[in-house]
Amino acid sequence: MLKTFSIKEVAKKFDLSISTIRYYDKRGLLPFVAKNAAGYRIFTETDLNLIKTIVCLKNTGMSINNIKTYIELVMAGPSSIDERKKLLLNHRRQVLQEQQVLADNLREVDFKIKKYESPDAESVIKNELEYVAREKKKLNL
Amino acid sequence: MLKTFSIKEVAKKFDLSISTIRYYDKRGLLPFVAKNAAGYRIFTETDLNLIKTIVCLKNTGMSINNIKTYIELVMAGPSSIDERKKLLLNHRRQVLQEQQVLADNLREVDFKIKKYESPDAESVIKNELEYVAREKKKLNL
DNA sequence: GGTTGCCCTAAACTATAGTTTAGGGTTTAA
DNA sequence: TTAAACCCTAAACTATAGTTTAGGGCAACC
C-alpha cells in the first residue's frame, strides 16, 4: 500500500514546525496537498519531493512569493518548463552572488579575528583608541 | 586638515540609505559618532572603519542586536579583546555553516536545472505528473 | 535675505516570515 | 466511551529590519 504522512510527520522529516507548514499552505505553496473528509492534510510520497524542493529554495533564500510562482509553474505542467528553468537560473545567479558576498565579508571577519589573536593585540588597540581620541579632539567633537 | 563626512556621504560610501544609518544609530550601533552644535552627525575617518565592520557583520547575517554587542565591546576598550574574539569566532562558525547550507541546497537547484535542460525533460515531467495522478487516485485523494 | 538642499527627531508604517491563541472537530487506545 | 493526542481555521501577535511621514531647524549660494 502507498504510504501517506500526517502534517506532524512531514514537519519532523523536514525540521519545520507544523504551523510553518500550515502557513506555507495558506501562502499557496502547497496546492498539491490533498485533504481527507475531516479536513486533515494528507501528504503522499511525491508531495514530499515537492516539499523538499520548497525547503531547498527557502534554504537558498528564495522568498515565499517566488517559491509560490515556481510551484504554480510546476502545477501548470510540462508547458512551463522553460519558465521554470529561467526562474531557477535566475535564482542560481542570486545565490552565487550571495555566496560571493558571504565569502568576501567572512575574509574581513577573519582579519579581525587574527588581529585579536595577535600577541600585541592589546597595545595595537590601545594605540588605535588614542588615535581616535586625538582625532576627535582635533575636530572638537 | 582631517576630513569629516556627512551622513549623506557615508550612506553613499557604504551603499546604505540615510534612514538606515539613522536607524543603526538609534539601535545603538553608532555610539562613537559625534554631533555638531546643530545636532548633525559628523563622521570621522576612523568612524568609517567601524562602520565598515558593522556592514561586514551585517553582510554575513549578524543581527543588529549582536552587532550592537560587538560595538559595545569595542567601546569598552582593550579589556574586551577576548570577548570580541569569542563573539567573532562564534559568528564565523555560523557563517561557515550557512555557507555549507547554501552550497548543499544550490547543488539541488542545479540538479533541477539540469533536469529542465535535458532534451527529454518534457516526457519525463509528463510521466511524473501521471504518476502523481495515479497515486492520488489510488488513495482516493 | 530668501530659496534650495541638507540635516534632525519622533512616530507611524511596511514587508517578510513566521508563531500563538481561541475555539472546535477527529482518532485512537485503554 | 472517554481521555489523550491529533488535526483544523481564523485571527491576532511577534520579531526583524528597515522606510516613510510630519514638522522643523541649518547652510550655502545667488
Side-chain angles (χ1 to χ4, degrees):
Chain A
M1 194 48 188
L2 292 171
K3 171 131 178 65
T4 61
F5 304 86
S6 71
I7 195 171
K8 195 185 187 185
E9 289 172 309
V10 175
K12 191 166 183 190
K13 236 178 237 295
F14 290 100
D15 197 25
L16 299 171
S17 75
I18 288 177
S19 60
T20 297
I21 294 175
R22 291 205 185 107
Y23 171 70
Y24 285 177
D25 196 2
K26 190 159 64 172
R27 290 296 307 274
L29 266 49
L30 311 178
F32 48 87
V33 174
K35 290 187 179 179
N36 69 13
Y40 287 25
R41 291 177 186 81
I42 306 293
F43 298 81
T44 66
E45 287 279 2
T46 58
D47 288 344
L48 299 192
N49 293 338
L50 261 179
I51 291 175
K52 189 185 167 196
T53 300
I54 289 170
V55 168
C56 178
L57 294 175
K58 189 197 69 159
N59 284 343
T60 47
M62 189 183 282
S63 71
I64 299 278
N65 258 318
N66 282 311
I67 297 175
K68 184 185 173 191
T69 300
Y70 176 73
I71 292 295
E72 279 167 354
L73 290 174
V74 170
M75 301 309 286
S79 68
S80 66
I81 289 178
D82 263 26
E83 266 191 278
R84 296 188 216 177
K85 198 174 69 183
K86 245 176 53 188
L87 190 154
L88 291 191
L89 280 171
N90 190 42
H91 180 56
R92 182 173 196 279
R93 248 189 303 106
Q94 288 177 47
V95 175
L96 290 177
Q97 197 180 314
E98 169 61 14
Q99 285 182 323
Q100 191 61 54
V101 168
L102 227 51
D104 291 349
N105 286 277
L106 185 58
R107 223 156 16 83
E108 296 290 325
V109 172
D110 282 344
F111 281 142
K112 280 244 166 279
I113 292 174
K114 248 179 219 149
K115 190 172 142 190
Y116 290 144
E117 276 171 343
S118 134
D120 58 338
E122 192 159 330
S123 69
V124 167
I125 281 161
K126 261 184 193 157
N127 286 340
E128 284 175 4
L129 266 181
E130 280 162 23
Y131 177 78
V132 172
R134 279 200 304 280
E135 183 190 49
K136 302 252 175 191
K137 198 162 188 182
K138 272 187 200 156
L139 291 161
N140 299 313
L141 296 177
Chain B
M1 195 48 189
L2 292 171
K3 172 133 177 65
T4 60
F5 303 86
S6 70
I7 194 171
K8 195 182 187 187
E9 289 172 309
V10 175
K12 190 166 184 192
K13 235 177 240 295
F14 292 100
D15 197 26
L16 299 170
S17 76
I18 288 177
S19 60
T20 296
I21 294 175
R22 292 205 185 107
Y23 170 70
Y24 285 177
D25 196 2
K26 191 159 65 174
R27 291 296 307 274
L29 267 48
L30 312 177
F32 48 86
V33 174
K35 289 187 178 178
N36 70 12
Y40 288 23
R41 291 177 187 82
I42 307 294
F43 298 80
T44 66
E45 286 280 3
T46 57
D47 288 346
L48 299 192
N49 292 338
L50 261 178
I51 292 175
K52 190 186 166 195
T53 300
I54 289 170
V55 168
C56 178
L57 294 175
K58 189 197 69 160
N59 284 343
T60 47
M62 190 183 282
S63 72
I64 299 279
N65 259 317
N66 283 311
I67 297 175
K68 185 185 173 191
T69 299
Y70 176 73
I71 292 295
E72 280 167 353
L73 290 175
V74 170
M75 301 309 284
S79 68
S80 67
I81 290 178
D82 263 28
E83 265 192 280
R84 296 187 216 177
K85 198 174 69 184
K86 247 176 52 189
L87 191 153
L88 291 191
L89 280 171
N90 190 43
H91 180 55
R92 182 173 196 277
R93 247 190 303 107
Q94 287 177 48
V95 175
L96 290 178
Q97 197 181 314
E98 170 61 15
Q99 285 182 323
Q100 192 61 54
V101 168
L102 226 52
D104 291 349
N105 285 278
L106 185 58
R107 222 154 17 84
E108 296 290 325
V109 172
D110 283 342
F111 281 141
K112 280 242 165 279
I113 292 174
K114 246 178 219 149
K115 188 173 143 190
Y116 290 144
E117 276 171 345
S118 134
D120 58 337
E122 189 156 335
S123 69
V124 168
I125 281 160
K126 260 185 194 154
N127 285 341
E128 284 175 4
L129 266 182
E130 280 161 23
Y131 177 78
V132 173
R134 278 200 304 281
E135 183 190 49
K136 304 252 175 191
K137 196 161 191 182
K138 272 187 197 156
L139 290 162
N140 298 313
L141 297 176

